């Protein structure tokens, strides 16, 4: 049992579902449990969803996925989700967002508000939108209907 990670959804005393992450290290006596809330909320499109690490099919079929090589707290936080054709389509209404709309991001006790400041259609090979930035921004990416080589990219900048 080396380096096992697992998680399960639990409901806290406030009625909010969180991920309880259990990590078992090489030392079988070391069992670290953290109760971590990782949530994206976009009021305009009535979205409240949990975020999980990674963008694999398994993750995106249950959660909003976090691009592993991007930040979770500062700089560019990049997230992805399905928008149609799956059981979970968290970004189905992402195209309805407008410049100035608010995005709420909660991770490990921090909560930030971002303001949408760009909406673009990019190529699926345009990875520069995932690069880290000095400014605190959030990047939301999903597919574009009937254009498999394109991605919808919404970016927001941290509200002061």
């Amino acid at each position: 049992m080396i380096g096992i990670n697992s998680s399960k959804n639990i409901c806290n005393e406030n009625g909010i579902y969180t991920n309880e992450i259990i990590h078992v290290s090489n030392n079988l006596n070391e069992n670290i449990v953290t109760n971590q809330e990782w949530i994206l909320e976009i009021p305009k499109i009535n979205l409240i969803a949990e975020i999980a690490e990674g963008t694999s099919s398994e993750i995106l079929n249950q959660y909003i996925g976090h691009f592993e090589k991007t930040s979770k707290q500062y700089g560019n936080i990049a997230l992805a989700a399905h928008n149609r054709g799956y059981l979970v389509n968290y970004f189905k209404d992402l195209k309805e967002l407008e410049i100035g709309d608010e995005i709420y991001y909660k991770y490990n006790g921090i909560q930030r508000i971002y303001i949408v400041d760009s909406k673009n259609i990019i190529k699926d090979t345009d990875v520069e939108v995932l690069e880290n930035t000095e400014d605190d921004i959030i990047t939301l990416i999903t597919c574009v209907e009937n254009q498999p080589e394109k991605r919808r990219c919404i970016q927001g900048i941290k509200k002061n």
Side-chain angles (χ1 to χ4, degrees):
M1 298 215 337
I2 298 174
I4 296 173
N5 285 309
S6 66
S7 68
K8 62 181 179 177
N9 286 329
I10 58 172
C11 187
N12 68 18
E13 64 274 5
N14 298 320
I16 298 172
Y17 283 91
T18 60
N19 250 345
E20 179 179 50
I21 299 173
I22 300 170
H23 171 76
V24 180
S25 73
N26 294 341
N27 179 353
L28 293 178
N29 295 324
E30 180 186 352
N31 191 10
I32 302 165
V33 177
T34 59
N35 192 359
Q36 177 180 317
E37 189 175 41
W38 200 5
I39 304 285
L40 183 72
E41 180 177 355
I42 307 175
K44 178 166 184 182
I45 60 173
N46 298 315
L47 171 68
I48 300 174
E50 282 188 283
I51 302 167
E53 188 66 50
T55 56
S56 68
S57 294
E58 293 79 17
I59 295 293
L60 296 182
N61 286 335
Q62 297 180 53
Y63 304 97
I64 292 173
H66 173 258
F67 284 93
E68 294 171 331
K69 298 202 186 262
T70 69
S71 175
K72 294 178 186 167
Q73 294 187 45
Y74 304 104
N76 186 10
I77 300 166
L79 307 172
H82 293 307
N83 64 34
R84 70 196 184 296
Y86 295 88
L87 292 176
V88 177
N89 300 294
Y90 288 122
F91 284 178
K92 67 183 172 63
D93 294 323
L94 203 64
K95 62 186 167 192
E96 305 300 322
L97 291 180
E98 299 294 334
I99 305 299
D101 289 337
E102 292 184 338
I103 299 168
Y104 297 88
Y105 174 80
K106 185 183 279 191
Y107 172 74
N108 205 19
I110 64 156
Q111 184 167 331
R112 294 216 173 91
I113 300 173
Y114 296 87
I115 305 299
V116 173
D117 71 341
S118 74
K119 298 173 45 168
N120 295 298
I121 303 297
I122 61 173
K123 293 180 184 177
D124 60 355
T125 55
D126 291 345
V127 294
E128 59 271 358
V129 297
L130 302 178
E131 292 175 2
N132 199 21
T133 58
E134 286 186 27
D135 293 328
D136 291 331
I137 67 169
I138 195 161
T139 301
L140 309 178
I141 296 179
T142 194
C143 294
V144 175
E145 300 82 357
N146 304 315
Q147 297 183 50
E149 70 289 343
K150 301 286 184 177
R151 300 292 178 265
R152 184 173 313 282
C153 179
I154 306 289
Q155 290 185 307
I157 190 155
K158 183 181 163 208
K159 183 176 182 179
N160 292 331

